Amino acid sequence: MKMTGRLEGEFQVTNGYGPENAPQVMREHWRTFIVEKDFEFISQNGLNAVRIPVGWWIASDPTPPPPFVGGSLQALDNAFQWAKKYGLKVIIDLHAAPGSQNGWEHSGSRDSSQEWGKTDETITQTVAVIDFLTSRYAKSPSLYAVELINQPLSPGATLSSVIEYYKAGYAAVRRHTSTAFVVMSNRLGPMEPRELFPMASGFKRSVIDVHYYNLFEDKFNNMTLQQNIDFVYNNRSSQLNYVTTSNGPLTFVGEWVAEWQVVGAGKEDYQRLAEAQMEVYGRASFGWAYWTLKNVNKHWSLEWMINNGYIKL
């Protein structure tokens, strides 16, 4: 199964405009950044699904707590309508949880604080968001999966708190649908790649999400072009095989990108990197998703990569 990358509808930053202008900035962003023709493009280019990140405040739309602004729920409604029109499936990805599950800006943290999971309240509140989203879209033919949380970061997000939440989140999804897959992101940071298996193996239609980048770690800084390619074919292949079992949860490479630290790489080099990753990640039993559909950095934009012949599906 091939899947496209995220739709950047929830990355709420004011970019220097100031909080008083945030509603106007975000309304314009939602109106223009991802539109119906993007779903048509996705459907015409060999892709069959979209992974859409949302923030926890979507459940309070249209009047979420400051500093967030209303409007994201309508954007998600639009996405479901367009997905239905063009025969695409939707994976709702809770990308930002109350208190932030990793301390990064894309999970709603402004000061690197990571408070999610430290109290029962943050977990209960997150389960309520999953319940809200699943109940709203359970009857849509486009709802394919609900990802309970994105990239909880160890050690701040403890295994016990993550498992407690995943059990409650799975139950929340199942209250509304028996067919949607439930996606559980592996923790980042110190962890054991199969640590969720004892729990997830008892769930029906469960998926483990892993994210593979040849970036963000020192070991990639000085790798040559060929070393990067070899790392995908050898290391990533072994990592994916390790979490892919015949009787366990399905596996999903929920994020990857054809980018690296290699300086001076040409188009053919990027094509090789993309082809290697698609060959290896194509073995994931639940498919893959590219990060992201649109981005100002060309290689991070699947749309640009397809239109310019860097990626062929």
Side-chain angles (χ1 to χ4, degrees):
M1 177 182 298
K2 297 174 182 175
M3 297 183 177
T4 186
R6 68 164 185 167
L7 305 186
E8 293 185 289
E10 289 297 331
F11 188 44
Q12 298 202 16
V13 292
T14 56
N15 289 332
Y17 291 101
E20 67 278 0
N21 293 317
Q24 178 184 344
V25 170
M26 290 307 302
R27 278 196 297 268
E28 182 66 10
H29 170 73
W30 284 315
R31 188 181 68 83
T32 61
F33 188 64
I34 298 294
V35 296
E36 181 177 338
K37 71 177 182 179
D38 294 309
F39 280 71
E40 183 179 20
F41 172 86
I42 291 166
S43 69
Q44 291 176 346
N45 281 278
L47 299 157
N48 60 13
V50 290
R51 176 177 180 255
I52 305 180
V54 300
W56 61 269
W57 53 90
I58 195 172
S60 302
D61 217 74
T63 54
F68 307 108
V69 300
S72 58
L73 186 58
Q74 182 59 57
L76 187 57
D77 285 347
N78 291 343
F80 267 89
Q81 292 172 8
W82 298 331
K84 180 180 179 181
K85 181 175 180 178
Y86 294 101
L88 298 171
K89 298 298 184 182
V90 174
I91 300 168
I92 304 175
D93 155 40
L94 187 63
H95 217 76
S100 175
Q101 71 275 19
N102 52 41
W104 297 321
E105 74 285 352
H106 57 70
S107 65
S109 180
R110 295 194 291 184
D111 57 4
S112 299
S113 63
Q114 181 184 350
E115 300 298 325
W116 181 88
K118 294 182 179 179
T119 65
D120 291 340
E121 182 183 3
T122 57
I123 292 178
T124 301
Q125 189 178 357
T126 313
V127 173
V129 175
I130 294 299
D131 187 85
F132 169 83
L133 290 167
T134 310
S135 65
R136 187 177 186 87
Y137 300 109
K139 291 183 172 57
S140 169
S142 297
L143 179 65
Y144 191 60
V146 178
E147 182 156 7
L148 299 179
I149 201 168
N150 176 72
Q151 294 181 340
L153 180 62
S154 167
T158 65
L159 180 58
S160 60
S161 63
V162 168
I163 287 178
E164 176 189 351
Y165 168 62
Y166 281 165
K167 288 179 177 178
Y170 175 86
V173 173
R174 288 290 170 255
R175 279 195 288 272
H176 304 286
T177 170
S178 60
T179 56
F181 288 91
V182 179
V183 183
M184 291 161 284
S185 175
N186 257 356
R187 293 189 299 164
L188 299 187
M191 51 79 74
E192 206 291 312
R194 286 185 181 175
E195 65 185 17
L196 299 177
F197 273 45
M199 172 199 64
S201 296
F203 293 161
K204 295 181 179 179
R205 299 174 77 81
S206 65
V207 182
I208 297 296
D209 181 10
V210 294
H211 297 172
Y212 294 149
Y213 291 100
N214 279 27
L215 298 162
F216 310 129
E217 296 179 65
D218 291 342
K219 64 186 177 186
F220 296 116
N221 292 348
N222 298 308
M223 275 193 186
T224 65
L225 184 156
Q226 189 58 47
Q227 286 172 331
N228 271 274
I229 300 292
D230 292 342
F231 188 88
V232 172
Y233 280 121
N234 298 322
N235 300 62
R236 293 304 190 202
S237 182
S238 295
Q239 291 168 355
L240 184 58
N241 286 342
Y242 182 68
V243 294
T244 303
T245 59
S246 59
N247 57 353
L250 300 178
T251 51
F252 178 39
V253 182
E255 292 183 18
W256 67 276
V257 67
E259 186 58 288
W260 46 14
Q261 300 282 63
V262 176
V263 178
K267 180 176 180 178
E268 185 177 334
D269 302 323
Y270 277 96
Q271 287 173 327
R272 288 182 61 205
L273 177 64
E275 288 169 2
Q277 291 185 94
M278 286 191 291
E279 179 180 340
V280 172
Y281 306 158
R283 302 171 196 158
S285 50
F286 193 72
W288 53 255
Y290 195 91
W291 184 280
T292 178
L293 179 67
K294 290 185 173 184
N295 196 291
V296 292
N297 300 303
K298 294 176 181 178
H299 303 130
W300 290 80
S301 171
L302 182 59
E303 179 185 64
W304 188 92
M305 295 289 275
I306 291 173
N307 285 337
N308 290 276
Y310 282 66
I311 287 180
K312 296 178 181 178
L313 300 169

